[in-house]
Amino acid sequence: RAWLAAKLVCFITTSRLSRTAMLANLIVSALAFSGPARAPSSRVVRSNAMMADDIIVTATSLQGPVIFWGSEGVLVGKEESDIKGYDNFGKFVAAVESAGLTATLKGAGPFTVFAPTDAAFADFGGVPAGMTLADVLKYHVVSGKMSTSDISGDLKTVQGNSLTYGRRFRKTFLDYAKVGIESEGASKGGNYPKDIECSNGMIHAIDCIMVPGAYVNLA
């Protein structure tokens, strides 16, 4: 029995040593495969995110405030709060092109653009006598890059006249236009995009077309 016990101990010890040796060999092989250890790199890994597009390209694809079906939707089987579409900026881009200002707003800038929605153009009565479409559109452009939080006073436009700043009903006004309107409560109103970064400036949506000299400050 003593002989058998000694053999068993020897077998167990040998097996353990064998497994230990195998594990050591595996570790050595793995280290050899991975190559020598390297010191931490000082190179900064940069994001591959693309730079924002210019003002014109951005405005072309920018989604404006939501248009809901409202009461007319009931007649075609829609809920009043169902989305009918979006009030985008195609007419603004087309007007810029028609006025010959596309190259300017694709240029280096930077510019801050107050872009009227398609609905604003639909409600526009037309360019006043003695003024050109370019004059009206330039009145929506300010030199420099400005967020809505930076707007705290009158703004001189590239047209030459200044937009009149106002703060009423917790909203920012320039002349008669509301800048970057936000939906409040359960009103189901659409949010107007604001602080839209572009490679050559910034875009803020507004709800009407501003005309030089048309604003009358009654304050």
Side-chain angles (χ1 to χ4, degrees):
R1 290 180 180 177
W3 176 83
L4 182 60
K7 283 286 187 180
L8 183 59
V9 169
C10 181
F11 174 76
I12 293 172
T13 303
T14 303
S15 298
R16 286 178 177 173
L17 289 173
S18 178
R19 286 198 298 271
T20 303
M22 289 175 63
L23 179 61
N25 286 334
L26 285 173
I27 293 173
V28 170
S29 299
L31 289 173
F33 179 77
S34 62
R38 298 178 182 177
S41 173
S42 60
R43 182 173 63 89
V44 176
V45 178
R46 300 187 183 277
S47 169
N48 62 355
M50 295 181 64
M51 179 71 112
D53 287 317
D54 63 58
I55 288 168
I56 294 300
V57 173
T58 302
T60 300
S61 59
L62 183 60
Q63 182 175 288
V66 171
I67 301 172
F68 296 102
W69 274 98
S71 58
E72 67 179 63
V74 178
L75 301 175
V76 292
K78 304 286 185 181
E79 295 290 334
E80 291 188 13
S81 59
D82 285 348
I83 295 174
K84 184 178 182 180
Y86 296 88
D87 192 8
N88 294 331
F89 304 91
K91 292 182 179 179
F92 169 72
V93 173
V96 168
E97 183 176 354
S98 176
L101 298 176
T102 300
T104 300
L105 294 184
K106 289 178 76 69
F111 301 109
T112 298
V113 172
F114 300 97
T117 64
D118 289 345
F121 274 90
D123 293 338
F124 184 47
V127 177
M131 201 174 293
T132 66
L133 177 59
D135 292 330
V136 173
L137 292 172
K138 287 178 182 178
Y139 191 59
H140 293 71
V141 181
V142 174
S143 293
K145 188 174 183 179
M146 183 175 295
S147 68
T148 50
S149 62
D150 295 328
I151 303 172
S152 58
D154 296 354
L155 301 177
K156 180 154 187 165
T157 69
V158 298
Q159 179 269 339
N161 289 16
S162 293
L163 297 165
T164 301
Y165 168 80
R167 183 73 184 170
R168 301 184 291 277
F169 317 114
R170 295 184 298 177
K171 294 179 174 60
T172 297
F173 284 78
L174 290 173
D175 287 3
Y176 296 112
K178 294 188 283 290
V179 181
I181 302 168
E182 294 182 346
S183 175
E184 295 180 356
S187 64
K188 291 290 186 181
N191 291 316
Y192 283 57
K194 63 180 180 178
D195 300 325
I196 304 301
E197 292 272 358
C198 305
S199 62
N200 60 343
M202 190 165 280
I203 297 174
H204 310 294
I206 57 176
D207 63 339
C208 67
I209 294 178
M210 304 177 291
V211 176
Y215 179 71
V216 177
N217 190 350
L218 300 177

